Amino acid sequence: MVEEEAKSLPMELSEKGGVENNGFVQNEAFDDKETDASSQEEMPKTCTVAVDPASTEEPVLKPYAGMPKEVLLKFSSQARYRVTREVLFWLIVAAAAVLVCATIAIIALSPKCLDWWQASPIYQIYPRSFKDSNMDGNGDLKGIQEKLDHITYLNIKTIWITSFYKSPLKDLGYGAEDFYDVDPMFGSMSDFENLLAAVHDRGLKVIMDLIPNHTSDKHRWFQLSRNRTGKYTDYYIWQDCTQAAGSVSPPNNWVSVFGNSSWQFDDVRKQCYFHQFGKEQPDLNFRSLAVQQEIRDIIKFWLSKGIDGFSFSAVKFLLEATHLRDEPQVNKSQNPVTITAYSQLYHDYTATQVGMHDIIRSFRQTMNQFSSEPGRYRFMGSDGDETEDTEATMMYYGTTFIQEADFPFNFNLINMKNVSGNSISEAVNLWMKNMPAGKWPNWAVGSPNAARISSRIGKEYVNVMNMLLLTLPGTPVTYYGEEIGMENIASENVSKECINSDPVVATFPEKSPMQWDGKVNAGFTQGNSSWLPVNSDYQRVNVEIQMTWSNSTLNLYRELTFLRNNELPIHRGWMCYIWNDSNVFVYVRELDGLDRVFMMVLNFGQESTVDLKAIVPTLPAEATIRLSTNFSNTGKAVNTKLIKTELGEGLVLEYKTAKPVHTMEAFQGNCFVAEKACYSSAFNLLYVNC
């Protein structure tokens, strides 16, 4: 029965003319030829099937996570989504435009960032006296590398190493025998390269000395010049002179800085050569273009090594007058034959000659070739002119259009004949009032050629001098050992045995070895002796012991550098003189837009009491001692009508005010700023258009 029904089913469909294609698979029983319209006798009949309409409606699609692009586009084309999309698009465009404009505005309004040579104090090292690494009694480059932790402990990021070129050391290394090599006393070129790498790994910078005025008489150039060899014939300044009965008649009355005639007869060339310093240091002839190129090549050599800058010394002596006239006498009635001292002549023809600054600017141009990389600016410092001629010194800054030194080193605080509140104020004011607009000041209270603070003005003034140095605007320069209050060694302690029979060092007692600890030789060397004797006070004046004393000179120095590095008003703000008399010097450091002010009250005389509120009526009634030379006073409040200081005491006071001193008419002539900046508390940033 079932089989009969199955057989009859296709017959019934055929009769109704229906064709079934299940799953769109072609029915094999259906012949393609029969589908030809021309051969069909009868059209298939339509089969009507009753279907529920609801079941045929397309299901409603809703957005869902991970929908494909085709579905997403279907919905985004709807009005409500299109409007949202357009609103978001224009909001993004507007936000991007605002961001670009804000970035441009911030760049345009932001002050120039301080460069590395402005942002950190400079620590000057005399390498022979800093640290001995090989027990020969002489400090060396490896010794400096061993003590880099001390530099970072002081919050200092720039070290200045004085001359370590190969030299006979007749003049403590200031007359080079070879500018391209390291003297064996200090190590090797490899030692220098290792030191440089270690310095840079710590984020520190290195400045080197270069004295281009002269060489050692052992230099290859001089040996070739005295033999009249090729281009070297005129590398030095030679003049005919007469020699009779063992005495020389020089070409003129010029005298050297060290005294006596600046002309020396040479037995090989049978002429006299000129030397501004010792006879072992013949002056180069900078009127020779070949000599100028030699010095520029030396600059390139060391910059290629990776050093970060140069300090050029003795540059005012680079040129001499060609006419060789006698220099005028200071005392015109003095017998010319008796003139032997440098101070007895006016040096109109042997210093600061026309064209000298052009040569220094050529050094600057050479250095600029190595300053093109971001963050790799090469610093250039120079010594100044005569101490009394501040205007001449300021010329070393260059002009508005022609760059020269970043700054000439300022020794006003070293050259003072006596110390008082008035003399300190005068020394500071002399530099600030004469400094060209937009230039950067600098200060030093010690150097390899000046007595230490303790020996020059007294132990009681060490801390207050360091406080002055580190709170003035500009770059402070610290000579090694001043951070712990080292003293000169007594001249009678300097024997020829301990200085290798070189008596000239007896005149430089400020070069005694650095005092690291209380062990033998103050930790400077593990050898039996040092090239100069260590000061007898080394057991109480040394780095190790002062690190443990809360009120030590070392820790005060460290706190001052920390304050300088982290407080904007001291770092780059205004400085205004408030008061000075024979005892105290008072000044403030302020920044536009910042209501926090720092006031320095420094005593360089006797015990004193000052009513500062009477001088500046807008001062608050009280100020807080942020830092004191006596650490026990730190944090205390003081009455601004009654500020008392003792001899050698220094205070850094902090207070808030809405009326800074530099905006007051009464102090307009006493206020200075190098890199002007204003602070926005709303955005916590600096800008220039105050």
Short mmCIF file of all heavy atoms in Angstrom, two decimals, residues 395-433:
data_model
loop_
_atom_site.label_atom_id
_atom_site.label_comp_id
_atom_site.label_asym_id
_atom_site.label_seq_id
_atom_site.Cartn_x
_atom_site.Cartn_y
_atom_site.Cartn_z
N MET A 395 83.10 93.02 27.06
CA MET A 395 83.20 92.82 25.61
C MET A 395 83.37 91.34 25.25
O MET A 395 83.09 90.94 24.12
CB MET A 395 84.37 93.63 25.05
CG MET A 395 84.15 95.15 25.10
SD MET A 395 85.53 96.07 24.38
CE MET A 395 85.43 95.56 22.66
N TYR A 396 83.80 90.54 26.22
CA TYR A 396 83.98 89.12 25.94
C TYR A 396 82.64 88.39 25.81
O TYR A 396 82.60 87.25 25.34
CB TYR A 396 84.81 88.46 27.05
CG TYR A 396 86.26 88.88 27.02
CD1 TYR A 396 86.69 90.04 27.67
CD2 TYR A 396 87.21 88.13 26.34
CE1 TYR A 396 88.02 90.44 27.64
CE2 TYR A 396 88.54 88.51 26.31
CZ TYR A 396 88.94 89.67 26.96
OH TYR A 396 90.25 90.06 26.92
N TYR A 397 81.55 89.03 26.22
CA TYR A 397 80.23 88.45 25.99
C TYR A 397 79.88 88.48 24.49
O TYR A 397 78.98 87.76 24.05
CB TYR A 397 79.16 89.25 26.73
CG TYR A 397 78.94 88.85 28.17
CD1 TYR A 397 79.29 89.70 29.22
CD2 TYR A 397 78.33 87.64 28.48
CE1 TYR A 397 79.04 89.34 30.54
CE2 TYR A 397 78.09 87.28 29.80
CZ TYR A 397 78.44 88.13 30.82
OH TYR A 397 78.20 87.77 32.13
N GLY A 398 80.56 89.33 23.73
CA GLY A 398 80.20 89.50 22.32
C GLY A 398 79.20 90.63 22.17
O GLY A 398 79.01 91.46 23.07
N THR A 399 78.53 90.66 21.04
CA THR A 399 77.55 91.70 20.76
C THR A 399 76.20 91.05 20.48
O THR A 399 76.05 89.83 20.51
CB THR A 399 77.97 92.53 19.53
OG1 THR A 399 77.92 91.70 18.36
CG2 THR A 399 79.38 93.08 19.69
N THR A 400 75.22 91.90 20.19
CA THR A 400 73.88 91.39 19.90
C THR A 400 73.90 90.47 18.69
O THR A 400 73.14 89.50 18.61
CB THR A 400 72.92 92.57 19.63
OG1 THR A 400 72.96 93.45 20.75
CG2 THR A 400 71.49 92.08 19.43
N PHE A 401 74.79 90.75 17.75
CA PHE A 401 74.80 90.01 16.49
C PHE A 401 75.94 89.01 16.38
O PHE A 401 75.88 88.09 15.57
CB PHE A 401 74.88 91.00 15.31
CG PHE A 401 73.79 92.03 15.32
CD1 PHE A 401 74.04 93.33 15.74
CD2 PHE A 401 72.50 91.69 14.95
CE1 PHE A 401 73.04 94.28 15.76
CE2 PHE A 401 71.48 92.63 14.97
CZ PHE A 401 71.75 93.93 15.38
N ILE A 402 76.99 89.19 17.16
CA ILE A 402 78.16 88.30 17.07
C ILE A 402 78.41 87.68 18.43
O ILE A 402 78.69 88.38 19.40
CB ILE A 402 79.41 89.07 16.60
CG1 ILE A 402 79.14 89.76 15.25
CG2 ILE A 402 80.60 88.12 16.47
CD1 ILE A 402 80.28 90.61 14.76
N GLN A 403 78.32 86.36 18.51
CA GLN A 403 78.49 85.64 19.76
C GLN A 403 79.97 85.45 20.07
O GLN A 403 80.79 85.19 19.19
CB GLN A 403 77.79 84.29 19.68
CG GLN A 403 77.79 83.51 20.99
CD GLN A 403 77.14 82.16 20.85
OE1 GLN A 403 76.96 81.68 19.72
NE2 GLN A 403 76.79 81.52 21.95
N GLU A 404 80.30 85.59 21.33
CA GLU A 404 81.67 85.30 21.77
C GLU A 404 81.57 84.30 22.92
O GLU A 404 80.96 83.24 22.76
CB GLU A 404 82.38 86.60 22.16
CG GLU A 404 83.91 86.47 22.14
CD GLU A 404 84.61 87.83 22.16
OE1 GLU A 404 84.11 88.78 21.52
OE2 GLU A 404 85.64 87.92 22.82
N ALA A 405 82.10 84.61 24.08
CA ALA A 405 82.00 83.69 25.21
C ALA A 405 80.57 83.69 25.76
O ALA A 405 79.86 84.69 25.68
CB ALA A 405 82.98 84.10 26.30
N ASP A 406 80.18 82.56 26.33
CA ASP A 406 78.90 82.52 27.04
C ASP A 406 78.98 83.42 28.26
O ASP A 406 77.99 84.06 28.62
CB ASP A 406 78.56 81.09 27.44
CG ASP A 406 78.20 80.24 26.23
OD1 ASP A 406 77.22 80.58 25.54
OD2 ASP A 406 78.90 79.26 25.96
N PHE A 407 80.13 83.47 28.88
CA PHE A 407 80.43 84.52 29.85
C PHE A 407 81.93 84.54 30.13
O PHE A 407 82.60 83.51 30.10
CB PHE A 407 79.64 84.39 31.15
CG PHE A 407 79.72 83.05 31.85
CD1 PHE A 407 80.90 82.59 32.43
CD2 PHE A 407 78.58 82.27 31.99
CE1 PHE A 407 80.94 81.38 33.10
CE2 PHE A 407 78.61 81.06 32.65
CZ PHE A 407 79.80 80.62 33.21
N PRO A 408 82.48 85.74 30.38
CA PRO A 408 83.84 85.82 30.91
C PRO A 408 83.76 85.56 32.41
O PRO A 408 82.81 85.99 33.08
CB PRO A 408 84.24 87.28 30.62
CG PRO A 408 82.94 88.03 30.58
CD PRO A 408 81.89 87.07 30.10
N PHE A 409 84.71 84.82 32.93
CA PHE A 409 84.64 84.47 34.34
C PHE A 409 84.80 85.70 35.22
O PHE A 409 85.63 86.57 34.96
CB PHE A 409 85.69 83.41 34.68
CG PHE A 409 85.32 82.05 34.17
CD1 PHE A 409 85.85 81.56 32.98
CD2 PHE A 409 84.40 81.27 34.84
CE1 PHE A 409 85.50 80.32 32.50
CE2 PHE A 409 84.02 80.02 34.37
CZ PHE A 409 84.57 79.54 33.19
N ASN A 410 83.97 85.74 36.25
CA ASN A 410 83.86 86.91 37.11
C ASN A 410 84.60 86.65 38.42
O ASN A 410 84.19 85.79 39.21
CB ASN A 410 82.36 87.17 37.36
CG ASN A 410 82.12 88.27 38.37
OD1 ASN A 410 83.03 88.97 38.80
ND2 ASN A 410 80.86 88.43 38.77
N PHE A 411 85.66 87.42 38.65
CA PHE A 411 86.45 87.25 39.88
C PHE A 411 86.32 88.45 40.81
O PHE A 411 87.19 88.67 41.67
CB PHE A 411 87.92 87.00 39.51
CG PHE A 411 88.12 85.78 38.65
CD1 PHE A 411 88.60 85.89 37.36
CD2 PHE A 411 87.81 84.51 39.13
CE1 PHE A 411 88.77 84.76 36.56
CE2 PHE A 411 87.98 83.38 38.35
CZ PHE A 411 88.46 83.50 37.06
N ASN A 412 85.24 89.21 40.67
CA ASN A 412 85.05 90.39 41.53
C ASN A 412 85.02 90.03 43.01
O ASN A 412 85.52 90.79 43.84
CB ASN A 412 83.74 91.11 41.16
CG ASN A 412 83.86 91.92 39.88
OD1 ASN A 412 84.92 91.94 39.25
ND2 ASN A 412 82.79 92.57 39.48
N LEU A 413 84.41 88.90 43.34
CA LEU A 413 84.30 88.52 44.75
C LEU A 413 85.62 87.99 45.30
O LEU A 413 85.80 87.91 46.52
CB LEU A 413 83.21 87.45 44.92
CG LEU A 413 81.78 87.90 44.60
CD1 LEU A 413 80.82 86.71 44.66
CD2 LEU A 413 81.33 89.00 45.55
N ILE A 414 86.55 87.64 44.41
CA ILE A 414 87.87 87.18 44.83
C ILE A 414 88.82 88.35 44.98
O ILE A 414 89.66 88.38 45.88
CB ILE A 414 88.45 86.15 43.83
CG1 ILE A 414 87.57 84.90 43.78
CG2 ILE A 414 89.88 85.77 44.20
CD1 ILE A 414 88.02 83.89 42.74
N ASN A 415 88.67 89.34 44.11
CA ASN A 415 89.63 90.44 44.04
C ASN A 415 89.36 91.57 45.02
O ASN A 415 90.08 92.57 45.02
CB ASN A 415 89.66 91.01 42.62
CG ASN A 415 90.17 90.00 41.61
OD1 ASN A 415 91.02 89.17 41.93
ND2 ASN A 415 89.65 90.05 40.39
N MET A 416 88.32 91.44 45.85
CA MET A 416 88.04 92.48 46.84
C MET A 416 89.20 92.62 47.82
O MET A 416 89.73 91.63 48.30
CB MET A 416 86.75 92.15 47.61
CG MET A 416 85.49 92.19 46.79
SD MET A 416 84.03 91.86 47.82
CE MET A 416 84.45 90.24 48.47
N LYS A 417 89.55 93.86 48.12
CA LYS A 417 90.67 94.08 49.03
C LYS A 417 90.25 93.92 50.49
O LYS A 417 91.06 93.62 51.35
CB LYS A 417 91.26 95.47 48.78
CG LYS A 417 91.92 95.58 47.40
CD LYS A 417 92.60 96.92 47.23
CE LYS A 417 93.43 96.95 45.95
NZ LYS A 417 92.72 96.52 44.75
N ASN A 418 89.01 94.16 50.79
CA ASN A 418 88.48 93.92 52.14
C ASN A 418 87.03 93.49 52.01
O ASN A 418 86.38 93.76 51.01
CB ASN A 418 88.61 95.16 53.03
CG ASN A 418 87.88 96.36 52.43
OD1 ASN A 418 86.66 96.41 52.41
ND2 ASN A 418 88.65 97.33 51.93
N VAL A 419 86.54 92.82 53.03
CA VAL A 419 85.20 92.26 52.98
C VAL A 419 84.30 92.95 53.98
O VAL A 419 84.63 93.08 55.17
CB VAL A 419 85.22 90.75 53.27
CG1 VAL A 419 83.82 90.18 53.34
CG2 VAL A 419 86.01 90.02 52.20
N SER A 420 83.16 93.42 53.48
CA SER A 420 82.13 94.03 54.32
C SER A 420 80.82 93.94 53.55
O SER A 420 80.81 93.57 52.37
CB SER A 420 82.45 95.49 54.64
OG SER A 420 82.38 96.28 53.45
N GLY A 421 79.73 94.28 54.20
CA GLY A 421 78.46 94.31 53.49
C GLY A 421 78.50 95.26 52.32
O GLY A 421 77.97 94.96 51.24
N ASN A 422 79.17 96.40 52.50
CA ASN A 422 79.25 97.40 51.43
C ASN A 422 80.12 96.91 50.27
O ASN A 422 79.78 97.09 49.10
CB ASN A 422 79.81 98.71 51.98
CG ASN A 422 78.82 99.45 52.85
OD1 ASN A 422 77.61 99.35 52.66
ND2 ASN A 422 79.32 100.17 53.85
N SER A 423 81.27 96.30 50.58
CA SER A 423 82.17 95.88 49.50
C SER A 423 81.56 94.71 48.71
O SER A 423 81.72 94.65 47.48
CB SER A 423 83.52 95.47 50.07
OG SER A 423 83.41 94.32 50.90
N ILE A 424 80.84 93.82 49.39
CA ILE A 424 80.16 92.73 48.68
C ILE A 424 79.09 93.31 47.76
O ILE A 424 78.98 92.92 46.58
CB ILE A 424 79.52 91.75 49.67
CG1 ILE A 424 80.60 91.00 50.46
CG2 ILE A 424 78.60 90.77 48.94
CD1 ILE A 424 81.37 89.97 49.67
N SER A 425 78.32 94.25 48.27
CA SER A 425 77.27 94.88 47.46
C SER A 425 77.87 95.58 46.24
O SER A 425 77.34 95.49 45.13
CB SER A 425 76.50 95.89 48.32
OG SER A 425 75.57 96.61 47.53
N GLU A 426 79.00 96.25 46.44
CA GLU A 426 79.65 96.97 45.35
C GLU A 426 80.16 96.00 44.28
O GLU A 426 80.02 96.24 43.08
CB GLU A 426 80.81 97.79 45.90
CG GLU A 426 81.55 98.60 44.85
CD GLU A 426 82.72 99.38 45.43
OE1 GLU A 426 82.86 99.41 46.67
OE2 GLU A 426 83.50 99.92 44.63
N ALA A 427 80.74 94.87 44.71
CA ALA A 427 81.27 93.88 43.76
C ALA A 427 80.15 93.26 42.93
O ALA A 427 80.29 93.06 41.72
CB ALA A 427 82.03 92.80 44.51
N VAL A 428 79.02 92.96 43.58
CA VAL A 428 77.88 92.38 42.86
C VAL A 428 77.28 93.40 41.91
O VAL A 428 76.99 93.10 40.74
CB VAL A 428 76.82 91.87 43.87
CG1 VAL A 428 75.55 91.44 43.14
CG2 VAL A 428 77.38 90.72 44.69
N ASN A 429 77.09 94.60 42.40
CA ASN A 429 76.47 95.65 41.59
C ASN A 429 77.33 96.02 40.39
O ASN A 429 76.81 96.32 39.30
CB ASN A 429 76.23 96.88 42.47
CG ASN A 429 75.37 97.92 41.78
OD1 ASN A 429 74.31 97.60 41.24
ND2 ASN A 429 75.81 99.16 41.79
N LEU A 430 78.64 95.99 40.56
CA LEU A 430 79.55 96.35 39.47
C LEU A 430 79.34 95.44 38.27
O LEU A 430 79.33 95.89 37.11
CB LEU A 430 81.00 96.25 39.96
CG LEU A 430 82.09 96.64 38.95
CD1 LEU A 430 81.99 98.12 38.60
CD2 LEU A 430 83.48 96.33 39.52
N TRP A 431 79.17 94.15 38.53
CA TRP A 431 78.96 93.21 37.42
C TRP A 431 77.56 93.35 36.83
O TRP A 431 77.39 93.43 35.62
CB TRP A 431 79.20 91.78 37.88
CG TRP A 431 79.27 90.80 36.75
CD1 TRP A 431 78.23 90.17 36.16
CD2 TRP A 431 80.44 90.40 36.05
NE1 TRP A 431 78.68 89.36 35.13
CE2 TRP A 431 80.04 89.49 35.04
CE3 TRP A 431 81.80 90.69 36.18
CZ2 TRP A 431 80.95 88.88 34.18
CZ3 TRP A 431 82.70 90.09 35.32
CH2 TRP A 431 82.28 89.20 34.33
N MET A 432 76.56 93.37 37.68
CA MET A 432 75.18 93.36 37.20
C MET A 432 74.83 94.61 36.41
O MET A 432 74.10 94.55 35.42
CB MET A 432 74.22 93.18 38.37
CG MET A 432 74.38 91.86 39.13
SD MET A 432 74.23 90.39 38.09
CE MET A 432 72.49 90.43 37.69
N LYS A 433 75.34 95.75 36.81
CA LYS A 433 75.00 97.00 36.12
C LYS A 433 75.72 97.14 34.78
O LYS A 433 75.25 97.84 33.89
CB LYS A 433 75.31 98.21 37.01
CG LYS A 433 74.26 98.44 38.08
CD LYS A 433 74.35 99.83 38.67
CE LYS A 433 73.14 100.11 39.56
NZ LYS A 433 73.20 101.46 40.17
#
